[in-house]
Amino acid sequence: MRIDILTGFPDIVRQPLAQSIIKKGRDKGAVTIHVHNLRDYTDDRHKTIDDYPYGGGPGMVLKVEPFDRCLQDIAGRCDISRARLLMMSPRGATFSQSKAVELSVQEHLILLCGHYKGVDERLYELYPIEDVSIGDYVLSSGEIAALVITDSIVRLLPNVLKDIESAWSDSFHDEWLDAPYYTRPENYRGLKVPDVLTSGHHERIAAWRMKKRRELTEKRRPDLIEKAKNNKI
Ligand code: ADE
């Protein structure tokens, strides 16, 4: 997979993309990630990427040219006709684990970081862009949303996680939240790990985990169970 990230604030994304699971995905060649600084696609002395909105009002709007020029630059190096272009925006459809799975099989993702009030709407007339939101709250920065989306996708790519079963048991892989986990020491300040987990009895452990997943989901996220029921009908 190739991921391009277009941003006016490349420093926000560079370090997180060089750590942990995303680093592993890059090192293993599962994904190549290119970060583009929108200011490199300006031609004024101040490298201006935003401007006042026509019609007035508070806030600044990201200009169309830096995005367009950067996308043209990428298009000059590789075919972007099959790429998915995703604009980080609170007005998009809410990102979810199923969207992460859907995107994880794409060859090329182009993540566009909106900022301030938004982006000149004409960009949407030039390119087939989908807005994506990571939740019903407003961030000052599309960069953080791009990192969330990149992380959730890269960990699903083949050979990135040591144990892909670990992803299958994740919360949101199905309708159940994940079970509680314990690690050493077996006794910490008098708190013992549940006996079943140290029994070595795989079937009993699996049954215990499933019971905990159901209990936790019923208590905290009954909406997930309802949603799964409705989807199955
Ligand atoms: N930019 C600002 N808020 C956002 C959100 N909730 N999701 C994605 N991008 C955003």
Side-chain angles (χ1 to χ4, degrees):
M1 174 182 278
R2 173 180 169 133
I3 301 179
D4 287 277
I5 302 179
L6 280 58
T7 165
F9 297 89
D11 287 347
I12 298 180
V13 297
R14 283 214 172 99
Q15 270 303 316
L17 293 174
Q19 316 281 331
S20 186
I21 299 290
I22 302 180
K23 171 179 164 36
K24 208 164 128 207
R26 297 175 88 174
D27 289 349
K28 288 199 162 187
V31 62
T32 54
I33 303 181
H34 303 261
V35 176
H36 306 268
N37 186 351
L38 288 171
R39 291 172 210 278
D40 293 340
Y41 298 89
T42 57
D43 43 24
D44 66 308
R45 205 156 53 89
H46 300 292
K47 300 188 181 297
T48 311
I49 58 168
D50 58 350
D51 209 337
Y52 296 99
Y54 278 114
M60 301 291 269
V61 175
L62 283 168
K63 292 162 72 66
V64 65
E65 298 103 308
F67 278 110
D68 186 24
R69 287 183 188 161
C70 184
L71 288 168
Q72 288 305 316
D73 189 21
I74 298 168
R77 292 171 213 211
C78 63
D79 177 14
I80 65 164
S81 63
R82 293 218 309 271
R84 294 280 289 269
L85 278 71
L86 307 168
M87 174 68 75
M88 304 303 112
S89 166
R91 73 180 189 180
T94 311
F95 192 66
S96 60
Q97 187 64 20
S98 58
K99 190 78 178 172
V101 171
E102 177 200 322
L103 294 174
S104 71
V105 297
Q106 301 285 319
E107 265 170 46
H108 191 183
L109 303 176
I110 302 182
L111 308 184
L112 312 165
C113 299
H115 225 77
Y116 310 110
K117 272 266 109 0
V119 180
D120 190 316
E121 196 67 22
R122 289 170 291 187
L123 188 63
Y124 294 86
E125 291 177 46
L126 295 173
Y127 299 94
I129 296 172
E130 301 163 53
D131 283 330
V132 184
S133 166
I134 61 161
D136 289 343
Y137 40 79
V138 178
L139 302 165
S140 50
S141 157
E143 284 72 16
I144 294 167
L147 287 171
V148 167
I149 289 175
T150 302
D151 186 285
S152 69
I153 291 169
V154 170
R155 62 195 298 284
L156 296 175
L157 299 178
N159 303 322
V160 174
L161 289 184
K162 214 177 344 180
D163 184 358
I164 191 65
E165 277 186 40
S166 150
W168 294 340
S169 64
D170 282 342
S171 299
F172 309 117
H173 180 74
D174 50 26
E175 65 260 52
W176 309 111
L177 297 176
D178 204 356
Y181 288 93
Y182 300 83
T183 187
R184 287 185 290 188
E186 209 177 310
N187 187 330
Y188 185 70
R189 294 176 57 194
L191 298 170
K192 284 205 66 212
V193 172
D195 285 339
V196 60
L197 298 179
T198 53
S199 68
H201 196 297
H202 298 300
E203 275 168 31
R204 276 178 49 209
I205 293 171
W208 180 87
R209 287 198 169 134
M210 198 55 230
K211 181 169 162 267
K212 290 291 173 189
R213 297 183 74 175
R214 287 176 197 276
E215 283 171 6
L216 207 61
T217 313
E218 276 156 12
K219 194 163 150 206
R220 295 197 187 160
R221 295 294 306 272
D223 58 301
L224 292 177
I225 304 170
E226 259 330 286
K227 209 160 92 185
K229 266 192 221 152
N230 294 337
N231 289 344
K232 277 175 194 154
I233 294 169

